[in-house]
Amino acid sequence: MAQFSIENRMRAITMNLSEVNLMSSKKENQISKNDQSAKLGKSLCNGSINMSLNCSTNSQSVATKTPKRTETSFSNKTPKMTQGPTLGKPNSWKSPGMGAGVIRKAQNILGDRMVPSRSTTDFEAAHHKMTSEDPSGDRVLSYQTVQIPKPQEAYINHQKALYSASSSTQKKPSTRFIPNTADRVLDAPAMMNDYYLNLLDWSQTNFISVALDKQVYLWNAASGDIQELMECEGDDNYISSVQFTQDGSYLAIGLNTGCVELWDIQQQRRLRTMAGHAARIGVLAWNEHVLSSGSRSGLIFHHDVRIPQHLVASLEGHTQEVCSLKWSGDHRFLASGGNDNLVHVWEGTSGQITRNTPLHVFNQHQAAVKGMAWCPWQSRLLATGGGTNDRSIKLWNMNIGDCVDTIDTKSQVSGIFWNSEYQEIISSHGFPNHTLQIWKYPTKAKVAELTGHDERILHLAMSPGETAVMSAGADETLRLWNCFQTDPNKKKGIAGRRNEPRSALDAMSNFR
């Protein structure tokens, strides 16, 4: 019994010890699990805090810095939502996979601007290219030419902004052809080599008159017929000037004796002779029914051809021979040039002079003034040309009474005409070049230079349609130049061109 009880007690102790060990191991396992749960909870709490801080920091960096462009990778896994919205940004819920990279990229596309790197910009070189006049070919800035849209109807621009845009950056090449040689050459024997005379004129009815010593010849530019109109009497007498009326029906002829003869072109007869000058008459100019004549004495007479007492006015201003006279298109001014290097502008109305003192006196020329022409589209603009010591064309504005521009022709100027269609000036020249030159107005650029005369050019006349000119030279030749042919692409039917010679060039002959 005693032994049995001892064994039972030993078994009970052993069982108690086993239960204690089992309970102890279970407790240790429970403690270990609790420690792991605590560590996991702490880690999750720290991660949430760090993520919140990171989101706040990233938001501030996006607002203060220009973000760099980054590539965003999209995961196939379902993204987890962040712990919560960033402080101050209640709508900033976003997934980690579509995070700050996408927002920054969208901001770069929509709200960013290009800021150049100043450290890589050469400001001195850029300033030099923008201010330098040397056309090196480098382009600082280049913009596309865009047509600016027209404003809406009844739109009012309160900012007063001005816009301009050209349809093309390159100018279209000009299709105009200017022959540099004469179309036809006529012989003109006995042409007087005198710079101060005016022996050539072209009428509105397409007749050309040329004076050769004692004879006056008429050439019909439409048919090519040539006829002798008159021959002056006297051994020492010669023809010193010719001038058609504005309608081309009559021709005034100035003589060395100081008389003026008036001839009917159709009937080929002399109508009257008007005396008055004491010296030769070198230049004539018509203004309706009043004929102005300039003499070697320096006087300018006005003859009213309708009345017996034809002398109605006398102008005293030049001290030497008058070699050019031109009435303006509106008949308000008469310009005169003389061998005294002066240009006088006289005021007149409807062919009658209102006062005998010049309105303007210009003394900038350094030689005799023979070339002279009024601008057809600017009635107050006058062009004058000087002789050998001057070699220039000067433009005068009657409104201000001064020279507004000068063209250096490098040669003696003997004649000037304007062309309305191309807005150009053609001038004939004597020593030393013997050429015709065409100038663009108002740029003064030389368009062409026509050569052919062997000696100086003395006279110049323009056709009624302003498409051709004829020059007379000391080499005893007349040359026809078709230098202002009408562009066929432009409008036709301009008044005054119906009488322009078309087929006359095929019927040319000479005066011999």
Side-chain angles (χ1 to χ4, degrees):
M1 288 294 291
Q3 185 176 0
F4 178 78
S5 61
I6 292 171
E7 290 179 357
N8 291 334
R9 288 181 181 179
M10 290 297 293
R11 289 178 182 175
I13 293 170
T14 302
M15 292 177 63
N16 292 333
L17 290 173
S18 297
E19 291 176 0
V20 170
N21 291 334
L22 180 60
M23 293 176 65
S24 176
S25 63
K26 289 182 178 181
K27 187 175 182 180
E28 288 178 358
N29 291 335
Q30 185 67 30
I31 293 172
S32 176
K33 291 180 179 180
N34 293 336
D35 292 340
Q36 291 179 2
S37 298
K39 290 180 180 180
L40 180 59
K42 185 178 181 180
S43 175
L44 291 175
C45 183
N46 292 336
S48 176
I49 294 173
N50 292 335
M51 185 174 292
S52 177
L53 292 175
N54 289 335
C55 291
S56 177
T57 305
N58 291 336
S59 300
Q60 293 178 2
S61 64
V62 169
T64 56
K65 294 184 179 180
T66 301
K68 298 182 179 179
R69 298 181 181 273
T70 59
E71 296 182 358
T72 304
S73 62
F74 298 91
S75 176
N76 294 328
K77 297 181 180 180
T78 302
K80 296 181 180 181
M81 300 300 291
T82 58
Q83 187 68 18
T86 305
L87 183 63
K89 297 183 179 179
N91 297 325
S92 61
W93 288 94
K94 55 186 178 297
S95 60
M98 301 277 293
V102 178
I103 296 177
R104 291 175 184 174
K105 186 173 183 180
Q107 289 181 353
N108 287 337
I109 293 175
L110 299 176
D112 198 8
R113 63 187 179 89
M114 191 278 291
V115 178
S117 177
R118 295 182 179 273
S119 60
T120 60
T121 304
D122 191 350
F123 289 101
E124 294 184 359
H127 182 269
H128 172 72
K129 290 179 181 180
M130 295 180 69
T131 58
S132 176
E133 297 181 357
D134 183 18
S136 60
D138 297 335
R139 303 181 68 179
V140 180
L141 296 176
S142 178
Y143 300 97
Q144 293 182 353
T145 303
V146 180
Q147 287 288 348
I148 298 175
K150 295 182 179 180
Q152 298 180 357
E153 188 176 358
Y155 171 76
I156 300 176
N157 185 5
H158 297 285
Q159 296 180 351
K160 303 298 182 182
L162 300 177
Y163 302 94
S164 63
S166 58
S167 59
S168 176
T169 56
Q170 295 181 354
K171 294 183 178 180
K172 295 182 180 180
S174 176
T175 58
R176 176 187 173 193
F177 173 70
I178 303 177
N180 57 3
T181 57
D183 284 346
R184 293 291 186 272
V185 179
L186 305 176
D187 289 334
M191 171 71 69
M192 296 189 64
N193 188 1
D194 195 327
Y195 175 78
Y196 304 101
L197 303 183
N198 292 270
L199 306 178
L200 182 69
D201 195 24
W202 201 328
S203 73
Q204 290 294 324
T205 56
N206 223 7
F207 279 89
I208 294 177
S209 64
V210 58
L212 302 178
D213 194 13
K214 296 178 178 293
Q215 293 85 20
V216 173
Y217 293 90
L218 296 179
W219 173 62
N220 189 334
S223 62
D225 296 336
I226 298 175
Q227 56 187 353
E228 180 180 340
L229 179 64
M230 59 87 66
E231 181 177 359
C232 62
E233 301 175 353
D235 295 336
D236 297 332
N237 197 10
Y238 59 86
I239 299 169
S240 55
S241 58
V242 292
Q243 184 70 36
F244 283 104
T245 57
Q246 294 170 347
D247 60 359
S249 301
Y250 305 97
L251 178 67
I253 301 174
L255 303 177
N256 181 45
T257 58
C259 297
V260 179
E261 294 184 359
L262 186 60
W263 285 75
D264 189 326
I265 299 301
Q266 297 297 330
Q267 299 181 7
Q268 296 188 14
R269 66 184 184 89
R270 184 173 59 190
L271 299 178
R272 66 180 302 180
T273 300
M274 298 176 291
H277 286 287
R280 71 177 185 182
I281 301 173
V283 60
L284 298 167
W286 283 96
N287 185 9
E288 298 179 353
H289 54 272
V290 173
L291 175 64
S292 303
S293 60
S295 173
R296 175 179 278 180
S297 63
L299 295 176
I300 300 174
F301 288 170
H302 295 285
H303 312 269
D304 191 337
V305 298
R306 301 173 300 176
I307 57 178
Q309 301 297 325
H310 54 85
L311 186 59
V312 294
S314 177
L315 305 180
E316 299 181 8
H318 292 281
T319 59
Q320 297 188 38
E321 183 171 9
V322 180
C323 49
S324 60
L325 280 176
K326 292 289 182 181
W327 281 96
S328 62
D330 56 3
H331 311 296
R332 294 190 58 184
F333 303 102
L334 172 67
S336 63
N339 195 26
D340 53 3
N341 309 344
L342 297 178
V343 177
H344 289 181
V345 179
W346 312 83
E347 188 177 9
T349 303
S350 299
Q352 298 195 8
I353 300 299
T354 57
R355 60 180 183 179
N356 294 334
T357 57
L359 180 65
H360 299 294
V361 177
F362 304 129
N363 58 2
Q364 282 86 334
H365 281 292
Q366 305 299 318
V369 182
K370 183 184 180 183
M372 181 176 291
W374 291 91
C375 180
W377 63 90
Q378 294 184 17
S379 60
R380 302 299 179 90
L381 184 63
L382 174 67
T384 59
T388 305
N389 295 331
D390 185 81
R391 306 184 183 187
S392 68
I393 297 174
K394 297 186 183 300
L395 302 177
W396 312 90
N397 190 325
M398 298 300 106
N399 293 328
I400 62 176
D402 200 358
C403 179
V404 294
D405 218 337
T406 300
I407 302 175
D408 184 9
T409 65
K410 304 184 185 305
S411 186
Q412 180 189 44
V413 182
S414 59
I416 297 175
F417 279 96
W418 293 81
N419 179 265
S420 302
E421 181 171 353
Y422 296 101
Q423 293 194 355
E424 294 173 346
I425 300 174
I426 184 170
S427 54
S428 59
H429 300 276
F431 300 119
N433 297 329
H434 324 315
T435 61
L436 281 82
Q437 299 181 17
I438 301 177
W439 311 88
K440 191 67 178 178
Y441 177 82
T443 62
K444 302 184 300 181
K446 183 186 291 188
V447 178
E449 187 169 10
L450 313 179
T451 59
H453 283 281
D454 296 329
E455 297 185 31
R456 66 175 180 172
I457 301 175
L458 299 171
H459 316 290
L460 186 67
M462 178 170 277
S463 66
E466 298 183 2
T467 60
V469 296
M470 176 167 281
S471 59
D475 55 359
E476 297 185 347
T477 61
L478 301 175
R479 297 176 186 267
L480 184 65
W481 313 82
N482 283 318
C483 50
F484 297 111
Q485 288 299 311
T486 306
D487 189 350
N489 296 326
K490 293 185 178 181
K491 62 182 181 179
K492 298 181 180 180
I494 299 176
R497 295 191 178 180
R498 57 183 179 273
N499 295 323
E500 181 67 13
R502 300 297 180 185
S503 60
L505 296 179
D506 299 331
M508 301 283 289
S509 60
N510 59 52
F511 286 110
R512 288 190 184 276

